[in-house]
C-alpha cells in the first residue's frame, strides 16, 4: 500500500495553508504567520540522510575562528561539545585555546577523521545521545535548526547535555518572515534537507519550547552574499556552485573541499558574510550567533 504524502505543517502552530514563497525540485516552502517557512509536502521518514552534509568545507573552515571567538566570549576554556563536528576545524581551534573537546557526529567518515585528531566522538544523532546529563559546559552547532525533524526535541537533548548551568552557542540563518521581495533572491533553498526557515521571533519560540532563552545574539547581514549567490547562479549557472568546483576526494556525505575558483568564491563569501556582514544593517536575510541557556523555570 502506498502511504499518502503528508502535507507540510508549521513547526510552531501546525498550520498547513501558508502561501508558497520558495520552490525547488517539486518541493514548496510555505510561509506561516508564525515567521516559519516550512517544506511541503513533508519528506518521508527515510527521505533525508542525517549523515549527509550540504556545505563545502570552506563553510566550516573559514569562519571557525569567528565562531570560536563567539564561544570564548560566552565562556572561557571549559568542556565543549560540538553537535556535527564535521572535519573538526572548530574543535581544533578550541583545543588550542585550552578547551576540553568532544563531538557528536553520525557521519562515519567524519567521525573517523575526528577520532584521528584525538577528539572523542559519539556516533549518534543528538536526539539519541547517551552522553551524561551536564557532561558539557557549552554545546555548539552550526546551521542545524533548519535540518532537525523536531527542533524542540533536538534542543532539549542539547540542554540536557549542557545541564542547568551550561550554555548553547550556535549559528543560524534567518530566512523566515522576510518581505516577499526577498524570496526570489534566496535562490536554491536546499530542499528537502532544509525543513524549516525561521524569523528571529520564531527562533525564540522554538528555543522557548525546549525551555531555553536567548541571553546574547550577534547579527550578520546577508543581503550582499545572498545577492552574489543569486546573480552568480543566474549568470554562470552551476559553474558558480561551490560543490561544482569542489574536490571529489572527500568521503561520501562529508563536506567537500573546494579548489580553484570555488576556493576564491568561498573566501569572497566569507568576507561578505562575516566581515562586511557584521558591519551592515541586518535587514532582509541575515545570520545570528546565539548564546542561550535554560530558562528560569528550568533552572
Amino acid at each position: 500500500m502506498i502511504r499518502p504524502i503528508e502535507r507540510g505543517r508549521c513547526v510552531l502552530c501546525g498550520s498547513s495553508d501558508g502561501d508558497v514563497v520558495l520552490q525547488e525540485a517539486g518541493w514548496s516552502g510555505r510561509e506561516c504567520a508564525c515567521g516559519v517557512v516550512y517544506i511541503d509536502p513533508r519528506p518521508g521518514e527515510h527521505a533525508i540522510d542525517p549523515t549527509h552534509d550540504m556545505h563545502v568545507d570552506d563553510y566550516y573552515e573559514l569562519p571557525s575562528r569567528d565562531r570560536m571567538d563567539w564561544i570564548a566570549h560566552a565562556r572561557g576554556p571549559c568542556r565543549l561539545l560540538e553537535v556535527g563536528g564535521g572535519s573538526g576545524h572548530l574543535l581544533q581551534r578550541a583545543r588550542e585555546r585550552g578547551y576540553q573537546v568532544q563531538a557528536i557526529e553520525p557521519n562515519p567518515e567524519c567521525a573517523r577523521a575526528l577520532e584521528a585528531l584525538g577528539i572523542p566522538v559519539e556516533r549518534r544523532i543528538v536526539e539519541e545521545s547517551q552522553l551524561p546529563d551536564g557532561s558539557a559546559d557549552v554545546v555548539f552547532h552550526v546551521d542545524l535548526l533548519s535540518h532537525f525533524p523536531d527542533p524542540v526535541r533536538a534542543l532539549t537533548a542539547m540542554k540536557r547535555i549542557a545541564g542547568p548551568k551550561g550554555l548553547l552557542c550556535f549559528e543560524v540563518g534567518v530566512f523566515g518572515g522576510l518581505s516577499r521581495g526577498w524570496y526570489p533572491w534566496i535562490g536554491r533553498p536546499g530542499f528537502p534537507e532544509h525543513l524549516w526557515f525561521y524569523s528571529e521571533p520564531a527562533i525564540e519560540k522554538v528555543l522557548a519550547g525546549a525551555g531555553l532563552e536567548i541571553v546574547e545574539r550577534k547579527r550578520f547581514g546577508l543581503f550582499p552574499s545572498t545577492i552574489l549567490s543569486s546573480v552568480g547562479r543566474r549568470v554562470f549557472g552551476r559553474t558558480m556552485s561551490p560543490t561544482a568546483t569542489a574536490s571529489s576526494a572527500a568521503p561520501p556525505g562529508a563536506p567537500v573541499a573546494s579548489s580553484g575558483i570555488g576556493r576564491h568564491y568561498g573566501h569572497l563569501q566569507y568576507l561578505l558574510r562575516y566581515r562586511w556582514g557584521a558591519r551592515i544593517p541586518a535587514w532582509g536575510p541575515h545570520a545570528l550567533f546565539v548564546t542561550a541557556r535554560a530558562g528560569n523555570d528550568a533552572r
Side-chain angles (χ1 to χ4, degrees), residues 24-278:
E24 180 186 14
W27 305 94
S28 296
R30 294 184 178 272
E31 184 181 44
C32 181
C34 294
V36 174
V37 175
Y38 57 90
I39 192 171
D40 184 38
R42 180 73 180 266
E45 182 179 356
H46 301 294
I48 302 171
D49 180 359
T51 71
H52 178 70
D53 199 305
M54 296 175 61
H55 295 289
V56 294
D57 201 44
D58 291 346
Y59 178 77
Y60 301 105
E61 177 193 358
L62 297 176
S64 59
R65 186 184 303 275
D66 304 83
R67 292 163 178 160
M68 194 59 234
D69 287 345
W70 180 253
I71 295 170
H73 171 72
R75 184 161 293 179
C78 61
R79 299 171 300 167
L80 172 64
L81 168 72
E82 183 174 12
V83 179
S87 301
H89 297 297
L90 180 127
L91 292 176
Q92 289 184 85
R93 288 193 179 277
R95 189 163 55 184
E96 291 168 358
R97 298 191 188 194
Y99 288 77
Q100 300 175 41
V101 300
Q102 58 182 324
I104 293 176
E105 179 52 73
N107 180 287
E109 296 295 338
C110 289
R112 279 191 282 271
L114 290 165
E115 289 165 349
L117 294 171
I119 297 172
V121 181
E122 184 184 32
R123 298 188 181 197
R124 301 176 187 269
I125 59 173
V126 69
E127 298 92 326
E128 298 174 1
S129 173
Q130 296 183 5
L131 291 176
D133 295 6
S135 57
D137 301 304
V138 176
V139 177
F140 179 78
H141 61 90
V142 175
D143 189 39
L144 290 183
L145 281 186
S146 290
H147 295 266
F148 292 126
D150 184 343
V152 171
R153 181 185 173 212
L155 289 167
T156 300
M158 295 182 210
K159 184 183 73 169
R160 177 190 65 77
I161 296 168
K165 295 183 179 180
L167 297 175
L168 267 65
C169 292
F170 61 92
E171 180 178 344
V172 59
V174 179
F175 293 97
L178 303 178
S179 169
R180 292 295 175 90
W182 273 111
Y183 289 109
W185 289 98
I186 289 177
R188 181 178 178 271
F191 294 146
E193 286 82 3
H194 285 138
L195 300 172
W196 331 97
F197 295 114
Y198 309 91
S199 65
E200 283 198 45
I203 292 169
E204 293 172 4
K205 290 178 182 177
V206 170
L207 288 169
L212 293 159
E213 62 182 10
I214 294 176
V215 294
E216 193 168 4
R217 73 188 85 192
K218 182 177 181 179
R219 297 176 178 88
F220 299 84
L222 296 184
F223 67 85
S225 61
T226 298
I227 291 174
L228 173 65
S229 298
S230 183
V231 170
R233 278 190 295 266
R234 295 178 187 186
V235 174
F236 298 102
R238 287 192 55 80
T239 59
M240 280 296 291
S241 167
T243 55
T245 56
S247 166
S248 59
V256 294
S258 60
S259 59
I261 189 173
R263 183 68 172 175
H264 294 297
Y265 178 74
H267 272 281
L268 178 57
Q269 282 285 12
Y270 164 71
L271 293 172
L272 289 176
R273 184 182 182 106
Y274 297 97
R275 290 292 180 258
W276 193 15

